[in-house]
Amino acid sequence: MSTSVIPTREQLVRQVSEIAPVLRANTAWSTENRRLHSDSVEALRDAGVFRMRIPLRYGGYESDAQTMVAVASEIAKADGSAAWVVASSWVAGWSVGLYPDEVQDEVFAESGTGLCATIGPGTATAVPVPGGVLVNGSWPFISGALSSTWQQVAAIFLDPDGQPYPVMGPVRVSELEIVDDWHTGGLRGTGSVTTTAKDLFIPQERILPAPMVLGGQSVSKLNADSPMYRAPLIMVGAASTVGVAVGMGKAVRDLFFERLPGRKITYTEYPSQSEAPVTHLRVAEAVMKLDEAEFHATRLAAQLDAKCASAEPWEMAERGRSRADEGSAVRLTREAVEILASSSGGSAAYTKVPVQQIANDLQTFGLHAMMNPDVNAETYGRILCGLEPNTYYI
């Protein structure tokens, strides 16, 4: 058991705020080079954020969901891409904690600054061989792969004695090929490249059926009493990532009000933008939407923490609402940012003013299948109407 001092939520947020200037200074480089700057990765490591969802015995903090939302939001206020990479590492680190303890010993001894993951099989298949499986295929959108040492992969196991089914397991990134294909309009700094396995052997102890991992069904003996592992992966993922959206919205809000003093509305007689009623109406609407987004993020995290503390089973409606909360937070944040960006004037088109970049990052964030507001709302609506959720990612 580690004897490391576990920082409080407030301490972690403060540590992130202290490295925010480093993250902001490197955002342009990260965007241009389509990966996080090494100085940003190092600063995040020193702030301790990669430890937040790692078991205590490996020097982790086992931080709760409300802490994840607060920390992700604070990172995203400085750099949305950095926040997304960190949030992705939380999901990966948590999922590895479900595996046998000897597998955790191997992974967390080499995890470095963070891990990366996918929950979908991509094009990958796994065939049985003595002692394990042989995997071939690719996984797109692997955020943080360029700064990680392990990736949680998924594949379709081609069972010779039955129906194919999905499996998951951690592999060393050094055993994978990197496809440099992350050419996007937003979240460019995440370096979410494609990784490829070619005849990659994964030992049997590192393979679990995907439904077990998605359901949070741990086979770890040493993590059995940890509240952190009393939840399905999808709920954990939602709470891990929702703060990223909220933080990017706050970044645009803060930037708008920083630029407001002395700004005029061109081709009008208003002496300043801050005196125009249209400004009052628009900023009030935007800030209220951000408040509502934060409500949904906070409710999602509070529910996860409460369920983990009580060890009560998750009702399907609770699972659906968790996804709906994240979708609502994303939708409201995007709407708020659109209002503020459109009210920022023509000068906001310059790259030295990051309003448009953050808006693009947030738009890309909302395209993710697990964050998409419409998909998440439909899933929750189906459950409320007494239907099956039409997905096993819940």
Side-chain angles (χ1 to χ4, degrees):
M1 177 66 70
S2 171
T3 58
S4 300
V5 176
I6 309 302
T8 64
R9 184 180 310 160
E10 292 73 18
Q11 288 172 328
L12 284 166
V13 170
R14 183 172 65 252
Q15 286 163 199
V16 169
S17 69
E18 290 171 354
I19 67 166
V22 176
L23 302 180
R24 291 192 182 96
N26 293 325
T27 297
W29 186 97
S30 297
T31 299
E32 178 67 24
N33 290 275
R34 298 176 293 110
R35 62 179 298 170
L36 288 188
H37 194 287
S38 59
D39 288 349
S40 294
V41 176
E42 186 70 13
L44 291 163
R45 183 189 66 78
D46 291 344
V49 297
F50 288 112
R51 298 186 182 190
M52 286 174 53
R53 297 294 276 183
I54 289 176
L56 293 172
R57 65 184 180 278
Y58 301 110
Y61 302 153
E62 295 192 13
S63 301
D64 64 17
Q66 293 172 83
T67 300
M68 287 196 294
V69 169
V71 171
S73 179
E74 191 68 20
I75 299 172
K77 285 167 61 178
D79 183 350
S81 288
W84 177 249
V85 169
V86 171
S88 298
S89 80
W90 291 339
V91 180
W94 178 89
S95 67
V96 171
L98 302 173
Y99 283 76
D101 297 314
E102 60 270 22
V103 172
Q104 296 179 57
D105 289 342
E106 182 180 17
V107 173
F108 290 125
E110 303 177 17
S111 61
T113 55
L115 300 94
C116 55
T118 180
I119 60 173
T123 64
T125 58
V127 296
V129 295
V133 298
L134 206 61
V135 175
N136 284 278
S138 296
W139 304 273
F141 307 111
I142 307 303
S143 303
L146 302 175
S147 57
S148 297
T149 49
W150 287 81
Q151 177 186 327
Q152 173 79 299
V153 303
I156 299 299
F157 180 70
L158 303 179
D159 187 352
D161 300 318
Q163 293 295 318
Y165 62 91
V167 295
M168 299 177 72
V171 302
R172 291 179 180 85
V173 174
S174 61
E175 297 179 303
L176 302 171
E177 294 183 10
I178 301 294
V179 181
D180 184 17
D181 60 355
W182 188 240
H183 298 277
T184 59
L187 290 178
R188 290 166 56 86
T190 62
S192 301
V193 295
T194 293
T195 58
T196 297
K198 293 184 178 179
D199 293 329
L200 174 62
F201 174 75
I202 306 178
Q204 191 61 50
E205 62 268 20
R206 282 204 251 130
I207 292 294
L208 288 176
M212 287 186 63
V213 179
L214 293 172
Q217 299 176 45
S218 177
V219 299
S220 168
K221 296 179 181 179
L222 296 178
N223 291 342
D225 296 327
S226 172
M228 189 170 77
Y229 291 100
R230 298 171 182 164
L233 183 147
I234 300 305
M235 277 60 267
V236 170
S240 301
T241 55
V242 68
V244 180
V246 173
M248 286 192 283
K250 290 181 176 180
V252 174
R253 176 202 64 190
D254 293 348
L255 185 59
F256 179 87
F257 285 113
E258 286 172 12
R259 300 177 70 242
L260 184 59
R263 279 185 49 79
K264 299 182 182 297
I265 300 180
T266 305
Y267 306 134
T268 74
E269 295 182 358
Y270 285 112
S272 68
Q273 184 181 13
S274 61
E275 296 184 31
V278 66
T279 302
H280 308 155
L281 292 169
R282 297 301 274 163
V283 299
E285 182 182 5
V287 170
M288 290 300 293
K289 285 181 180 292
L290 290 176
D291 288 346
E292 293 170 31
E294 190 159 31
F295 161 78
H296 285 287
T298 301
R299 183 172 71 170
L300 164 57
Q303 176 175 259
L304 180 61
D305 287 339
K307 298 293 285 190
C308 287
S310 68
E312 294 178 357
W314 282 77
E315 301 294 335
M316 188 58 68
E318 294 172 326
R319 296 174 183 233
R321 195 181 77 173
S322 293
R323 286 195 56 172
D325 272 333
E326 177 158 42
S328 293
V330 173
R331 174 180 57 80
L332 289 160
T333 303
R334 285 198 317 204
E335 291 171 357
V337 167
E338 182 179 355
I339 291 169
L340 294 171
S342 64
S343 301
S344 293
S347 61
Y350 287 103
T351 55
K352 64 182 179 181
V353 180
V355 170
Q356 299 302 328
Q357 178 196 315
I358 299 172
N360 289 339
D361 288 347
L362 187 58
Q363 181 69 22
T364 300
F365 180 93
L367 295 175
H368 191 291
M370 296 306 300
M371 289 74 184
N372 185 284
D374 289 342
V375 172
N376 286 355
E378 180 192 359
T379 298
Y380 187 36
R382 287 180 62 89
I383 295 169
L384 292 175
C385 290
L387 301 176
E388 291 298 315
N390 201 27
T391 176
Y392 61 84
Y393 290 101
I394 194 164

